[in-house]
Amino acid sequence: MQVVARKELRSRMRGGRAFAVLSVYLLLLTCLVVAVYAFTKNVIGNQEFGGPPPPLGRILFYAVTLVELMLIAPLAPAFTANSIAGERERQTFDLVMTTPLRARSFVLGKLVSGLSYTLLLVFVALPVQVLALLFGGLSLTEVLLGFWTLIVACIFYASSSLFFSAVMKSTTTASIFSYLTVALSLIGAVFVFFVGIFGSGFLGIPFFFGGPEGGPTATLYYVGLLFVSLSPVTAGGFSAAALIANEGAFILRLPIERFGPNGPIQQGEVLLVSPWVTYSLIYLGLSALLVWLSVRSVRPTTARNPARPTRPPAAIIDPADAS
Amino acid sequence: MAALVQTQGLTRRYDDLTALDSLNLEVEQGSIFGFIGPNGAGKTTTIRILCTLLEPTSGEAWIEGYSVLDEPDAVRRRIGYMPDFFGVYEDMKVWEYLDFFAACYEVPANRRGKMTDDLLGLVDLGEKKLAYVESLSRGMKQRLCLARTLVHDPSLLILDEPASGMDPRARVEMRELLKELRSMGKTIVLSSHILSELADVCTHIGIIERGRLLDTGRVEDMISRLAVRKLIRLRVGARALTARQMLADTPGVIEPKFDGEVPQTDEEPAALSFGLTDDAEDQSQVIDRLVSVGVPVRSFTEEAGDLEDVFLQVTKGEVQ
């Protein structure tokens, strides 16, 4: 694995492109911080909108984290989607596959190199994110949650792009499928979630939060949790909201209610794991599965019966003697 | 001499197409084995199976006694493979390219530096050690790829169309390099559909057509065994038409024809060529017959058979 990762990283970091991407990325994030700071101080900070403004640090942190996710989402496939399909296109794939290098090492090396650069983007932005702590109103748990959400997203985007790179023959097709997956992860789950909200309101369909005729049930909470966990945006957002509402970092207590004539009547409560936990399990589980499938698909041949190999009928050269 | 490569009933089918049909092959240790056949004959399929890149539909193959199907890792450590179309990592330096593959073959890091220098010297790329691969010419890249096949000191080199796309000088250099590698004790299997590429360098050949191995053996044995016709070139001062008619009527003479312009009258000089089977009359008797009908023979020469003759004889001209 180290062999492939070292070679890939050496090529990737050579020249000015890698550093140019890093610089532009950090410049965009810094501009965003300045813009959000100015906006919050001048518009929200004058309290014309009524009520106390949210803490500046929290606004800055979540804005930077969300934009960071939106910047990483297109970059992760760009670093990984061409890794194996590119070897096929460049006709270097067979050369590597005839070496004793294991398919597992090859695939993991590609993953590590692609992921390293993406994670580098997350780490270099850390000072910008942590800057928000200085403005107050933000807990360290929230910072860690945002950071973890980004890392899990990076791992999934890199793994899914690697998978498409392994099973597709051309880098173009692999890139298209990788970007579709990333888009589905970011937009698809959010779309389904809002359809659920609006559906429950306008169509009278009890979905995530129940309809007009009844309050949320435990089943609806579970289904809602599943949908929320499908996207880093919703999973991170809801987990952060729970933290802000003084819920636990791992376990949430949600009420089961029924609408009575004088308002909602609480009938009990349901314990749920925080969405970031299920999100992590789903995304990391999927990532492991996709990497495993990638390893299987790049292996040109598998040893039929290594424990009892066949020997030529007339012993030509005895392997024992040859070695 | 022991066989380094052996296949038994090796078959590969793609749906209705049989790319390789019960191939039984042996390659002697220390030989340069030329795999000859037209495009689509099954050369690359055989090579890809031997290199563990493709599984056969049926049959077995062994390299140094290790089963290609059961022990692919052991086989990979013993072969150096150069495909017909190959790429290089353009953004790497020449030494990095060799170092990367040496690491893939688990060559210890402390040995790689000297090994890289030695191999670059062997393929005459020593001065390009620090150059980027993208700056090399095609011939240089081909030599670099050949050097790559040697990083783990394999006993067998498998080269698929090694000289394709090379200019004449690079082809000559490649031939010399192959001879040098043989003198270093390497066994080489190479394929080509260009006979002249193989003629000078191969010690053994195997002729394959439509997935079947038609014949195999030492080059000189096959030439003497299969070159059943000797090519005779004849120049006459006159009576060329008479000479051609007389040759056509002589038993054992094959396809007498004019080389160059066909004479309009029987008085004109001309050059002719014809084949002579082994059971044909003695050459002196053919000359006597020509002289007896008044043909002034100016020259009568026999040309030795070559690989092309062998190929044509074995494939019976059914392939291009």
Side-chain angles (χ1 to χ4, degrees), chain B residues 265-278:
Chain B
T265 67
D266 200 31
E267 301 307 315
E268 294 177 38
L272 297 97
S273 63
F274 56 94
L276 210 55
T277 59
D278 278 348

Side-chain angles (χ1 to χ4, degrees), chain B residues 36-52:
Chain B
I36 308 174
N39 291 329
K43 305 186 295 290
T44 299
T45 301
T46 308
I47 283 176
R48 288 180 67 80
I49 291 173
L50 292 177
C51 292
T52 74

